[in-house]
Amino acid sequence: MQKTIFTLLFISLHLVIYPQQGRKTIDMDHSWQFARGTHKDAINPNFDDSGWQTVNVPHDWSIQGRYNRNNLTGRGGGYLPSGDGWYRKSFTLPESDKGKKVLIEFDGIMANSEVYINGELLGIWPYGYTSFLYDMTGHIRFGENEANILTVRANNIDQPASRWYTGAGIYRHVRMIVKDPVHIAHRGVFVTTPKVSKSRATVNAAIQIDNTTDRNRSVTVHSSIIDKEGKTVRTASSTQRIGAKASQLVEQNLQVNDPLLWDTKDPHMYQMITRVLDGKTLLDEQVTDFGIRSIRYNATKGFFLNDQPLKMYGACMHHDGGGVGAAVPSAVWEYRFNKLKEAGINAIRVAHNPMAPEFYDMCDRMGILVMNENFDTWEYAKNAHDYHLYFNEWWERDTRAMVLRDRNHPSIVLYSVGNEIRDNLNNEDGFRKYKQQQDLIHELDSTRPVTMALFRPNSSGVYKNGFADMMDVVGQNYRPGELLEAHRQNPDRIVIGTENIHDLESYLTLRDHEFMCGQFLWTGFDYLGENVWPRISFGTALFDKTGGWNREGLLRKAWWGSEPTVSVVRRSDNAGAGEWVHDWTPLDPVAYDEAFLEIYTNAEEVELFLNDESVGVFKRPDNHAPIPVKVNYRKGELRAEARTGEKVVATDVQRTAGFPYKIVLTPHKTTIGNDWEDVSIVRAVIVDEDSVRCPNAFHLIEFNVEGAGELIATDSGDQYGHEPYISKERSAHMGECVAIIRANQDEGTIKITARAEGIEGIASAEIRVE
């Protein structure tokens, strides 16, 4: 590959009229035929699939199944079903596309995929989290009467294969791309911002052009920077001769005056529009979203964003969305990210695999920093059928795919090449396996450092054998005291807590040490799997699967949140027994005598009242520890008033609930579009006559949806809940559950109703579709 750097040339691309479009991107999400089981005959283009189910993708068929203790996925997979799944889709392409490149791109297939076109194998891809693309050009039949058959196998037969829920099937988006033979390479635009200040920024565009023809071609490459208002900020143009069957890397530097910088509070985004022209004929065009920002890491001062010190207040997140499984609409991520931000979270570690592209798009738009991680295991097996079977042959392709796909996201500030790797890191082979990944990432993206989440480093010897000093950033899971000692031993080490529990020691480790870049809590949301039957989800997160506050979230809001806050939680059973709950309605009030409380606040002091009588005034400790209080339970109202400077800045009021009286429905969005990515999460809460939530109500709630939408899933925060998610019924947990609604028409109104036996009346809510 040749490399040429061109200087800036100002032009007005808006004045150019292109006679044709060189690239077509065709949505391939709709109208697939699907069947579970092994159907190798389906590879044959003439196979009759009329008896199969018609589905749209993204499609996770495992989440549609039933929980069973004997399911082979086991505790890691959440006891949901596994097996073989086959998909087929018919499509045509016009004769006018003959001579162009025809590509098929999958954002992710879980797992061990096989893809065929017209009976010919395009390829296999074991890792279900990788996005990949195949060239179908040589196998396509052109013409309106010539059907092409795309066949996909998603093989999840061998289990257990994961320590958490994976999903199954074509669970991310699919698209077909038709390109001119001279085109921008796949993932061929890399936008960086090597120089950034408030007054001026340099934007570098590295553009790889492929010429797949058998003759030399001369093309013009145009780049335009577009701001959020649609205004062209800067343009560049250069002409390049590309040899036959060759690739050319073109670099263009564009200066932006008074740039709007991307940061966690104001995540301003730009677009780079890249066009390749032959004269006035448009051969190809690509739009790349990017942000203008700088990052740096310092062993003494920690992490800097745009030359300002910033602690990463992070949470780890698995890829499932609760009741929707692994096929997660963007609106679910948006909902979850807003909840995380309420708790003070500004960073996410993807655990422990690349997410769907829309996940990173949402992080970009919402100003959330990301640690992007590729693997949970290398050669050491954590499960009999996990990635250790493929690491040696596939690590390079999977890591390359992750970096090339994700490197334009301003939200990504750090790469990780492994989580709690159990391979021997005290020998040459262990050093090699880490360094080969770090070196590859540096080659593909030199703008971000690399880490990994070390597992018991004192036992593995990595702080003494030179391994840790090979890492750009030293990341460690848990045991924060060891990480502090590692930095004391070598103050040149840049350190970060890659996985931490919700305890005071971990909090103080970050708060009191300037050199700590950040921490990532385990976890942000409860996730499916990694628990022992009858539990089906992991449950020590900031939020439950539906976005309900856990005790850990209320505590974290007091530690990391930016708004004044106070919360009072109690042990659910008498005399300090049971779980932490956020209510004043014990299950057995007769036996509940002594309430053990904890108060979480970021104010100077809290006064606690029980039925308007002061229990006492409690100062916030210097170490910000929870404030323990014991009170004798009395029915009525428990109120906490948080004060700073003698002014009440936050309150928390809990009242004893009476008998269940009605259901209240609250959509998290009252307007949605007719788009797979857009949903509204409707929370159903059982309340008494005074609208107090009834935490001891576990009624079976029946949802009905009419009008311009449909019910796609129900869910609750119950870790023991075995009810199917694709159902209009869901038992309330602690008085609550949710229904997830999607539009199926372009406009209109969706009416949701909810009823439960033993509760009078029918609750209703409406959502507009626009």
Side-chain angles (χ1 to χ4, degrees):
M1 179 189 297
Q2 301 175 19
K3 178 178 177 180
T4 306
I5 300 178
F6 293 89
T7 57
L8 180 67
L9 173 65
F10 297 100
I11 62 172
S12 177
L13 293 180
H14 293 297
L15 299 179
V16 179
I17 299 175
Y18 304 113
Q20 67 182 72
Q21 296 293 321
R23 175 189 297 210
K24 291 194 298 186
T25 300
I26 302 167
D27 182 354
M28 296 288 280
D29 285 351
H30 299 279
S31 302
W32 290 78
Q33 298 298 105
F34 169 74
R36 288 184 58 182
T38 300
H39 302 277
K40 293 187 177 180
D41 290 348
I43 298 170
N44 187 328
N46 297 318
F47 177 81
D48 181 8
D49 59 20
S50 59
W52 288 14
Q53 179 186 2
T54 302
V55 300
N56 296 329
V57 301
H59 176 248
D60 174 8
W61 61 258
S62 181
I63 200 68
Q64 300 175 6
R66 290 187 172 272
Y67 284 106
N68 189 317
R69 186 175 187 174
N70 296 317
N71 279 333
L72 298 179
T73 53
R75 68 179 299 272
Y79 305 99
L80 282 162
S82 58
D84 212 355
W86 288 72
Y87 298 81
R88 301 181 90 242
K89 181 176 176 63
S90 175
F91 66 92
T92 61
L93 284 173
E95 286 281 352
S96 58
D97 285 337
K98 188 176 289 186
K100 296 183 178 180
K101 303 288 287 186
V102 182
L103 312 168
I104 189 73
E105 183 177 31
F106 295 88
D107 286 342
I109 302 174
M110 189 64 66
N112 302 298
S113 65
E114 303 169 15
V115 179
Y116 302 84
I117 182 66
N118 295 329
E120 299 294 329
L121 177 66
L122 292 173
I124 62 170
W125 208 291
Y127 200 36
Y129 301 104
T130 296
S131 299
F132 56 89
L133 174 141
Y134 294 125
D135 188 344
M136 302 190 295
T137 308
H139 308 291
I140 292 295
R141 302 163 183 159
F142 295 92
E144 60 181 14
N145 296 318
E146 294 289 338
N148 295 278
I149 304 297
L150 189 62
T151 305
V152 176
R153 182 187 191 185
N155 181 355
N156 294 274
I157 296 174
D158 292 334
Q159 298 291 332
S162 176
R163 298 189 303 114
W164 58 87
Y165 177 76
T166 63
I170 306 178
Y171 73 110
R172 294 179 182 171
H173 292 293
V174 186
R175 66 197 58 83
M176 183 163 55
I177 304 167
V178 182
K179 292 182 177 181
D180 189 272
V182 180
H183 55 263
I184 301 165
H186 184 56
R187 316 290 188 201
V189 177
F190 184 25
V191 181
T192 58
T193 53
K195 296 181 181 179
V196 175
S197 70
K198 291 182 179 180
S199 61
R200 189 177 178 89
T202 299
V203 178
N204 176 267
I207 306 156
Q208 183 182 335
I209 308 298
D210 289 346
N211 176 12
T212 63
T213 71
D214 56 5
R215 61 188 180 91
N216 298 338
R217 297 289 295 271
S218 181
V219 298
T220 301
V221 180
H222 289 309
S223 294
S224 302
I225 297 177
I226 311 297
D227 67 15
K228 64 179 181 180
E229 306 298 332
K231 178 183 176 183
T232 301
V233 175
R234 215 65 163 179
T235 60
S237 180
S238 53
T239 301
Q240 179 64 37
R241 187 173 179 82
I242 307 175
K245 306 290 185 182
S247 295
Q248 184 78 33
L249 184 64
V250 178
E251 289 200 33
Q252 297 176 336
N253 289 311
L254 301 88
Q255 305 299 322
V256 177
N257 295 324
D258 301 318
L260 297 174
L261 302 187
W262 186 95
D263 63 28
T264 55
K265 294 182 179 179
D266 295 300
H268 296 287
M269 295 292 292
Y270 290 86
Q271 287 186 331
M272 177 76 73
I273 300 179
T274 306
R275 296 182 174 102
V276 180
L277 298 105
D278 182 355
K280 292 186 177 181
T281 300
L282 179 64
L283 302 180
D284 200 6
E285 178 180 276
Q286 180 172 315
V287 178
T288 304
D289 294 330
F290 73 99
I292 297 176
R293 58 103 175 106
S294 67
I295 61 170
R296 61 184 172 93
Y297 293 77
N298 183 278
T300 303
K301 300 293 185 179
F303 173 72
F304 288 75
L305 177 64
N306 300 326
D307 283 329
Q308 298 298 312
L310 180 67
K311 294 286 190 185
M312 292 190 213
Y313 295 142
C316 302
M317 292 285 284
H318 274 308
H319 80 142
D320 78 79
V324 296
V328 186
S330 293
V332 171
W333 290 126
E334 181 182 37
Y335 170 75
R336 289 186 163 203
F337 292 173
N338 277 320
K339 300 294 289 187
L340 290 171
K341 293 181 90 170
E342 284 186 60
I345 298 299
N346 65 9
I348 290 174
R349 173 190 174 205
V350 301
H352 305 286
N353 46 260
M355 298 289 205
E358 300 79 29
F359 179 96
Y360 304 97
D361 292 339
M362 190 61 67
C363 289
D364 289 345
R365 292 197 292 271
M366 296 185 67
I368 296 177
L369 306 173
V370 176
M371 179 194 297
N372 206 18
E373 190 163 71
N374 56 1
F375 306 129
D376 184 50
T377 189
W378 295 351
E379 290 185 276
Y380 181 96
K382 295 181 180 179
N383 279 289
H385 303 285
D386 66 17
Y387 191 73
H388 83 278
L389 299 172
Y390 310 105
F391 176 79
N392 282 328
E393 182 180 352
W394 284 88
W395 75 264
E396 182 174 357
R397 277 174 283 186
D398 286 320
T399 302
R400 182 180 297 274
M402 176 187 76
V403 176
L404 291 180
R405 187 195 70 175
D406 297 338
R407 60 186 179 175
N408 287 309
H409 289 283
S411 57
I412 297 175
V413 296
L414 184 62
Y415 291 111
S416 169
V417 296
N419 171 65
E420 296 186 352
I421 297 301
R422 308 297 177 88
D423 299 48
N424 186 350
L425 304 181
N426 200 23
N427 61 20
E428 182 179 342
D429 192 48
F431 276 57
R432 175 189 59 81
K433 282 181 282 190
Y434 174 83
K435 193 170 188 306
Q436 66 188 6
Q437 296 180 76
Q438 181 170 273
D439 287 350
L440 176 62
I441 292 175
H442 287 167
E443 173 191 333
L444 300 172
D445 179 2
S446 62
T447 69
R448 298 170 174 93
V450 180
T451 188
M452 66 181 286
L454 293 171
F455 176 69
R456 298 179 183 175
N458 282 352
S459 299
S460 62
V462 296
Y463 287 151
K464 296 180 179 179
N465 65 8
F467 186 98
D469 298 314
M470 177 177 57
M471 301 168 65
D472 296 336
V473 176
V474 178
Q476 178 177 325
N477 284 7
Y478 307 111
R479 304 185 181 191
E482 291 184 9
L483 189 57
L484 295 180
E485 177 61 19
H487 185 269
R488 189 194 66 79
Q489 293 171 359
N490 183 353
D492 291 331
R493 288 170 172 160
I494 299 168
V495 296
I496 192 168
T498 44
E499 194 168 307
N500 295 92
I501 61 174
H502 309 266
D503 67 335
L504 185 62
E505 180 190 7
S506 299
Y507 166 71
L508 294 176
T509 296
L510 182 61
R511 189 196 73 171
D512 296 343
H513 296 90
E514 187 179 21
F515 60 79
M516 284 288 298
C517 294
Q519 285 180 347
F520 292 85
L521 303 169
W522 192 260
T523 56
F525 271 68
D526 289 351
Y527 58 92
L528 300 174
E530 203 167 3
N531 219 327
V532 179
W533 187 271
R535 293 189 175 187
I536 47 79
S537 62
F538 191 92
T540 60
L542 304 176
F543 299 92
D544 69 30
K545 291 188 283 101
T546 71
W549 288 89
N550 287 334
R551 173 254 183 188
E552 291 80 5
L554 297 172
L555 174 59
R556 192 58 50 172
K557 182 165 64 168
W559 280 348
W560 286 356
S562 59
E563 299 296 325
T565 185
V566 62
S567 301
V568 183
V569 298
R570 65 175 180 89
R571 288 289 189 180
S572 60
D573 299 331
N574 190 48
E579 300 178 347
W580 291 106
V581 295
H582 189 220
D583 64 59
W584 196 237
T585 310
L587 184 62
D588 185 354
V590 175
Y592 195 78
D593 177 37
E594 190 176 27
F596 280 52
L597 311 179
E598 281 189 348
I599 301 174
Y600 312 138
T601 189
N602 51 15
E604 294 174 355
E605 64 181 24
V606 176
E607 185 167 9
L608 189 65
F609 298 88
L610 180 54
N611 295 332
D612 291 328
E613 295 181 7
S614 179
V615 176
V617 177
F618 307 93
K619 300 290 185 180
R620 188 191 195 196
D622 291 340
N623 65 358
H624 301 169
I627 302 169
V629 181
K630 295 180 185 178
V631 300
N632 291 326
Y633 171 76
R634 282 182 288 156
K635 177 182 177 180
E637 178 186 274
L638 184 71
R639 184 174 82 255
E641 294 183 353
R643 295 193 289 257
T644 296
E646 300 184 355
K647 178 182 178 182
V648 175
V649 293
T651 59
D652 183 28
V653 179
Q654 299 170 34
R655 298 181 179 89
T656 306
F659 292 106
Y661 176 71
K662 64 180 179 179
I663 300 170
V664 176
L665 295 180
T666 306
H668 101 279
K669 294 173 67 174
T670 56
T671 302
I672 60 176
N674 185 13
D675 185 335
W676 188 92
E677 297 289 349
D678 204 2
V679 298
S680 182
I681 300 169
V682 181
R683 185 169 296 273
V685 182
I686 299 172
V687 299
D688 67 7
E689 285 189 287
D690 297 317
S691 297
V692 176
R693 175 175 62 92
C694 299
N696 301 320
F698 297 90
H699 296 67
L700 182 66
I701 296 179
E702 177 186 337
F703 295 95
N704 283 288
V705 178
E706 300 175 355
E710 59 187 340
L711 174 70
I712 64 169
T714 57
D715 200 0
S716 79
D718 188 4
Q719 297 176 46
Y720 297 87
H722 299 161
E723 296 163 311
Y725 295 105
I726 313 303
S727 170
K728 67 178 183 178
E729 295 181 335
R730 174 65 51 175
S731 295
H733 175 68
M734 305 291 286
E736 299 182 78
C737 61
V738 299
I740 304 174
I741 308 298
R742 177 182 285 134
N744 57 18
Q745 299 176 29
D746 290 337
E747 58 183 21
T749 301
I750 306 171
K751 183 178 180 181
I752 308 101
T753 59
R755 70 176 74 200
E757 187 175 343
I759 297 178
E760 294 184 7
I762 299 174
S764 66
E766 289 190 351
I767 300 169
R768 294 192 311 276
V769 180
E770 296 180 352

